[in-house]
Amino acid sequence: MPDGRESQETGPGSRPYGRMLVLAAVVLLLDQASKLWAVSALADGAAVTVIPRLLRFRLLLNPGAAFSIGEGATWVFTLAAAAAVGGILYVGRRLRSPAWTLVLGALLGGATSHLLDRLLRPPAFAQGHVVDFIDYGGLFVGNVADIALVGGCALLLLLTLRDVPLGAAPDKARPSP
């Protein structure tokens, strides 16, 4: 018979899951707020140099993925972002590791922010362009969500290579009947 502690250790009511959601919300808010700033401050084609030849802010509305790949398939990226959000929310139910909580929170926040751009920004629902504005020395232009996604993926790779478990094993996550 369950003793009521399971809901505090794993699943949507757990502390790691809640922390993942809080981190995702922080990434989402920072990204969307910075995009609001970029759209208002850089819409006239202005560029703001932060570090000469290395970092500047300039507005780019990206219909594709990284490096504007797949510009004609915006709807595919919308579906991919929705699947990523759903998958992270599902997998996050097993969270027990602080490191994996950080990974999944960063990925969830970045994917959710990109999904919102795709759903709500022009030119049309589910075909919106992602607001990019951080220009890395002319190599590529990104945003705060991209930083969270790249950092999350790097840490995901590291945790996977080090064989750090996400959470409780499926047979240990549920009490025996």
Side-chain angles (χ1 to χ4, degrees):
M1 180 173 192
D3 62 5
R5 284 185 281 165
E6 180 185 339
S7 65
Q8 295 172 357
E9 296 175 2
T10 62
S14 72
R15 284 188 181 156
Y17 194 84
R19 288 180 179 143
M20 176 191 76
L21 293 178
V22 168
L23 177 58
V26 168
V27 170
L28 174 67
L29 291 173
L30 287 174
D31 186 57
Q32 289 298 314
S34 66
K35 288 174 179 177
L36 283 172
W37 169 82
V39 168
S40 66
L42 305 172
D44 61 356
V48 176
T49 300
V50 179
I51 302 173
R53 293 185 295 220
L54 292 178
L55 187 68
R56 68 183 177 143
F57 297 143
R58 70 178 178 93
L59 186 62
L60 174 71
L61 302 176
N62 186 356
F67 306 105
S68 296
I69 295 170
E71 289 181 4
T74 302
W75 63 273
V76 173
F77 300 118
T78 303
L79 292 176
V85 168
I88 293 167
L89 289 170
Y90 178 77
V91 170
R93 297 178 314 146
R94 292 187 20 225
L95 273 174
R96 304 269 304 205
S97 160
W100 278 105
T101 299
L102 178 64
V103 167
L104 294 184
L107 294 177
L108 180 61
T112 302
S113 193
H114 279 189
L115 178 60
L116 288 176
D117 283 357
R118 299 287 183 198
L119 291 175
L120 304 176
R121 290 193 185 274
F125 179 76
Q127 296 178 13
H129 296 178
V130 172
V131 175
D132 290 332
F133 66 95
I134 305 171
D135 184 334
Y136 297 92
L139 297 173
F140 57 91
V141 182
N143 54 50
V144 173
D146 293 333
I147 295 167
L149 289 166
V150 169
C153 285
L155 188 53
L156 181 145
L157 180 62
L158 178 66
L159 295 176
T160 301
L161 290 173
R162 296 195 65 199
D163 203 25
V164 175
L166 175 73
D171 60 331
K172 292 181 184 177
R174 296 188 181 144
S176 302

